[in-house]
Amino acid sequence: MGVKKERSIYNFCSESDFCYSLGVVVGSVPVQVISNGVDCTRFYPHTDIQAIKQKYGCGNRFMIVGVSSHWSASKGLYDYYKLRELLPADQFVIVLVGITSEQKNNIPDGIIGIERTENLDELALIYSAADVVTSLSYQETFGLTIVEGFACGTPAVVYDNTALPELIDSDTGLVVETGNMERLAEAIRQVCKTGKSFYSQACREVAQTRYDKFCQYEKYVELYEQALVSKKV
């Protein structure tokens, strides 16, 4: 007598098309991409940005922001050091959020290091004050900091690897070859020349329509409800 093979009621959720493409799930388990979400009620375009720029000494320079919970070579830390050498310090300023005190002590001149923000509201202010949010990471399963920047109306420049390119289109930023510093500097100059205002509306709309966290929660609820129905069948 054979054993009845039960249909799987489980789904594997991937946070990006890149992760889905890796094919790490074996068997016939269904896979659904549900991206990470951002709270668009907390991350939104602030207009009162002069105080935050003055607090960190950015002045009126074009503000390039990178955010990470931990900085390392794989997160592109040293690529920011190289980028600093290619852009005039009197026109461009690089701000890195999330560095350690040791890294802050050794950071090159012309880069502003912030160990941590006081709260999410201050982080949203930094994203809003930024002219471009960057991710020079060599490995990302999603790229939440880019989407947080979008929610604040700020375009992005990212490397062409892993999950990062799928976040960007011509209305929200630029994608450059990984590790190509000349192309990276050129992309930053292009965003500067085009102007942040060209991208802002599209960035905000993408955050609200594709990555709003409450919409993502609903997708999980729908998935659980489908699983429950399948279990009863």
Side-chain angles (χ1 to χ4, degrees):
M1 181 177 180
V3 178
K4 181 181 179 181
K5 185 177 181 180
E6 294 187 359
R7 182 159 58 96
S8 172
I9 64 168
Y10 300 104
N11 283 62
F12 180 85
C13 289
S14 170
E15 60 186 321
S16 65
D17 291 333
F18 164 73
C19 290
Y20 173 76
S21 70
L22 293 177
V24 295
V25 183
V26 296
S28 58
V29 178
V31 180
Q32 181 170 340
V33 176
I34 301 179
S35 301
N36 290 335
V38 61
D39 187 345
C40 292
T41 66
R42 298 291 300 276
F43 291 93
Y44 61 89
H46 291 258
T47 57
D48 52 337
I49 58 174
Q50 288 306 313
I52 200 74
K53 296 187 79 169
Q54 290 177 5
K55 177 179 179 179
Y56 292 111
C58 298
N60 293 319
R61 291 174 291 176
F62 186 90
M63 188 171 166
I64 305 160
V65 167
V67 180
S68 180
S69 59
H70 67 280
W71 284 102
S72 62
S74 66
K75 284 292 185 179
L77 177 62
Y78 304 115
D79 286 14
Y80 284 100
Y81 294 2
K82 297 174 184 175
L83 177 63
R84 170 69 283 163
E85 298 174 359
L86 298 176
L87 298 171
D90 61 332
Q91 299 176 35
F92 298 86
V93 59
I94 297 174
V95 178
L96 300 181
V97 180
I99 66 172
T100 65
S101 57
E102 181 179 355
Q103 288 171 331
K104 187 174 182 179
N105 291 334
N106 295 300
I107 208 165
D109 292 338
I111 297 180
I112 296 171
I114 303 173
E115 292 182 42
R116 64 179 62 187
T117 57
E118 295 179 5
N119 47 51
L120 284 181
D121 294 332
E122 184 177 66
L123 182 57
L125 278 169
I126 292 173
Y127 282 130
S128 297
D131 293 287
V132 65
V133 176
T134 53
S135 179
L136 309 186
S137 178
Y138 285 73
Q139 50 186 16
E140 286 292 339
T141 57
F142 181 63
L144 184 60
T145 61
I146 297 303
V147 176
E148 290 173 343
F150 284 170
C152 296
T154 305
V157 171
V158 304
Y159 275 165
D160 186 14
N161 68 61
T162 56
L164 292 171
E166 67 189 73
L167 301 174
I168 309 295
D169 61 30
S170 60
D171 293 324
T172 58
L174 297 170
V175 179
V176 300
E177 179 185 0
T178 302
N180 189 324
M181 305 312 299
E182 294 292 340
R183 291 288 180 88
L184 174 61
E186 181 182 337
I188 296 294
R189 293 190 192 98
Q190 183 175 334
V191 174
C192 180
K193 181 179 180 180
T194 303
K196 177 180 177 178
S197 60
F198 173 84
Y199 302 95
S200 291
Q201 183 176 346
C203 289
R204 178 66 180 172
E205 289 177 355
V206 164
Q208 290 178 307
T209 58
R210 293 177 55 187
Y211 301 112
D212 181 82
K213 77 171 188 178
F214 299 106
C215 294
Q216 304 308 88
Y217 292 165
E218 289 178 3
K219 292 178 183 179
Y220 277 106
V221 172
E222 291 175 3
L223 191 60
Y224 296 146
E225 289 176 343
Q226 292 171 8
L228 290 173
V229 171
S230 298
K231 186 176 181 180
K232 294 177 182 178
V233 174

